Amino acid sequence: MPLLTIERLNVTFATRQGRVKAVKNISMSISNQEKLALIGETGCGKSIVAQSILRLLPKNAQINGRILFQGRDLLLVDEKTMASIRGKEIAIIFQNPSLALNPVYTIGWQVGEPFRIHQGANRNQSIQESIRLLSYMRFDKPGSAVKMYPYEFSGGMNQRALIATALALHPKLIIADEPTQGLDRTLIKQIIEQLDRARKIHSSSMMLITHDLTVAQSISDWIMVMYAGEIVEQARTRDFFQSPLHPYSQGLLGSLPKNGFHPIPGQSPSMIENLQGCQFHPRCKWAKEQCLNDKPELLSLNRRLVRCFLYG
Ligand code: SF4
């Protein structure tokens, strides 16, 4: 049985401008110790999937479908059960460490929080655990680091502290939402190496949410591509980077500097208006009459999935 299975997930938001359809009929699964990268442009719905899993969506969200974690539907369990799963069974690393960390508490207090919440540790015990975790994340002087505040750390140090917090209780699933955003290439490499090393030791599975294809390629087993709230392609990472099938995926790879830096023309469609046909058709050089009128289904092709009429 997969660790996590998402079935027909739909998320909409009621706004003054209308109903925003952020996630449309998404299904996926992650097995034990598997690493899946969810990629796509900003605003395509990737982070909404992560927030749905942990039930962290704002009140104006309407959600339906099933999110099965170890066989239990997270959308049906009570809030007390959900609170016991968050941070313990499923941990999340948020994209902006300076916002995710509270500026008025020390790093030690915040890294030790899971031990106080889930294991009833007292202040001293939680600080000792923080020192252990920070040393594990290769902080030079963890005993001094726990007494410091987030503003005294660099962005990379804050992110490593957040990773330490996420891994504190050996979660079965780690959701890393843009964990390297805003960091330079050298730091990105370090953070990804440390995250993967820690994940391996705890035998955790991982859902990595990123718009950075290089990061996705370096760490994931599977790639799932989202566009305008939909899955448009899924493949083994090696297959995806060797031969992306969907025209959007091809565009993403073509926009990498090493591939000539050719940006995809146009913009993603509005999530409020109902665009008929394939959601990518206004930007697709292969679009034909059928693409403007009909919606392509996800097709299965040699252990890959693709949503495009070119493969029908
Ligand atoms: Fe392009 Fe048509 Fe495929 Fe959509 S269905 S990606 S418009 S070829």
Side-chain angles (χ1 to χ4, degrees):
M1 180 168 57
L3 180 69
L4 178 83
T5 304
I6 297 180
E7 293 175 358
R8 298 179 299 283
L9 181 70
N10 285 278
V11 184
T12 58
F13 294 93
T15 68
R16 281 195 195 149
Q17 291 74 33
R19 282 166 65 80
V20 175
K21 296 177 196 124
V23 173
K24 302 171 193 163
N25 215 24
I26 276 186
S27 296
M28 65 169 78
S29 66
I30 301 179
S31 296
N32 281 322
Q33 300 191 42
E34 228 171 35
K35 298 168 284 176
L36 179 137
L38 197 52
I39 64 171
E41 291 163 321
T42 302
C44 70
K46 311 183 293 291
S47 294
I48 303 294
V49 174
Q51 289 165 26
S52 303
I53 295 169
L54 285 163
R55 290 204 348 217
L56 294 173
L57 291 169
K59 284 204 169 68
N60 65 338
Q62 282 189 340
I63 177 165
N64 62 58
R66 298 211 304 164
I67 299 178
L68 302 169
F69 178 67
Q70 297 183 303
R72 264 191 307 189
D73 190 341
L74 298 183
L75 298 183
L76 299 180
V77 300
D78 58 36
E79 186 45 43
K80 193 174 166 205
T81 307
M82 200 61 224
S84 72
I85 291 172
R86 270 188 221 114
K88 185 162 183 267
E89 307 267 327
I90 307 177
I92 186 161
I93 300 165
F94 288 106
Q95 55 182 274
N96 190 336
S98 46
L99 289 179
L101 288 165
N102 191 324
V104 301
Y105 291 109
T106 62
I107 292 292
W109 180 255
Q110 297 185 67
V111 173
E113 186 175 88
F115 298 98
R116 294 193 302 279
I117 290 180
H118 293 287
Q119 295 187 338
N122 62 29
R123 182 191 173 83
N124 281 345
Q125 289 164 335
S126 78
I127 295 294
Q128 286 310 311
E129 291 291 358
S130 304
I131 293 172
R132 182 181 62 77
L133 286 171
L134 292 186
S135 111
Y136 180 70
M137 290 305 291
R138 298 186 173 155
F139 275 75
D140 284 343
K141 293 179 182 161
S144 306
V146 290
K147 296 178 192 146
M148 295 169 78
Y149 289 86
Y151 73 87
E152 297 177 275
F153 273 16
S154 66
M157 288 164 84
N158 277 330
Q159 192 57 293
R160 281 155 63 208
L162 275 184
I163 293 172
T165 313
L167 295 165
L169 301 177
H170 307 186
K172 295 196 171 64
L173 176 65
I174 301 164
I175 300 175
D177 188 359
E178 301 280 8
T180 55
Q181 191 159 21
L183 303 178
D184 65 41
R185 276 284 148 207
T186 317
L187 266 178
I188 288 175
K189 195 164 177 284
Q190 276 178 24
I191 295 281
I192 289 299
E193 278 170 7
Q194 291 194 355
L195 179 58
D196 201 34
R197 180 176 63 91
R199 184 206 61 77
K200 264 188 208 141
I201 291 171
H202 298 311
S203 304
S204 308
S205 305
M206 182 160 70
M207 176 188 282
L208 171 72
I209 293 168
T210 184
H211 66 276
D212 187 327
L213 297 190
T214 313
V215 168
Q217 185 174 21
S218 68
I219 199 171
S220 66
D221 304 311
W222 289 91
I223 296 282
M224 193 170 252
V225 186
M226 274 186 85
Y227 183 76
E230 296 179 331
I231 299 294
V232 295
E233 181 163 359
Q234 180 183 331
R236 281 253 168 221
T237 301
R238 198 181 54 187
D239 297 339
F240 178 81
F241 283 93
Q242 266 174 9
S243 59
L245 298 181
H246 195 278
Y248 175 60
S249 310
Q250 293 166 0
L252 285 177
L253 289 191
S255 66
L256 291 175
K258 68 177 180 187
N259 294 334
F261 195 42
H262 304 293
I264 305 171
Q267 293 176 345
S268 300
S270 154
M271 303 288 245
I272 294 179
E273 287 154 25
N274 247 341
L275 179 68
Q276 217 183 329
C278 169
Q279 299 301 289
F280 190 60
H281 83 250
R283 305 171 78 181
C284 180
K285 64 180 176 185
W286 308 107
K288 48 189 177 176
E289 189 72 28
Q290 184 187 22
C291 308
L292 276 54
N293 300 314
D294 301 333
K295 197 170 174 49
E297 298 293 328
L298 259 187
L299 298 172
S300 179
L301 283 176
N302 303 327
R303 299 193 73 214
R304 302 177 67 157
L305 296 174
V306 61
R307 188 187 295 281
C308 176
F309 288 127
L310 292 176
Y311 306 93

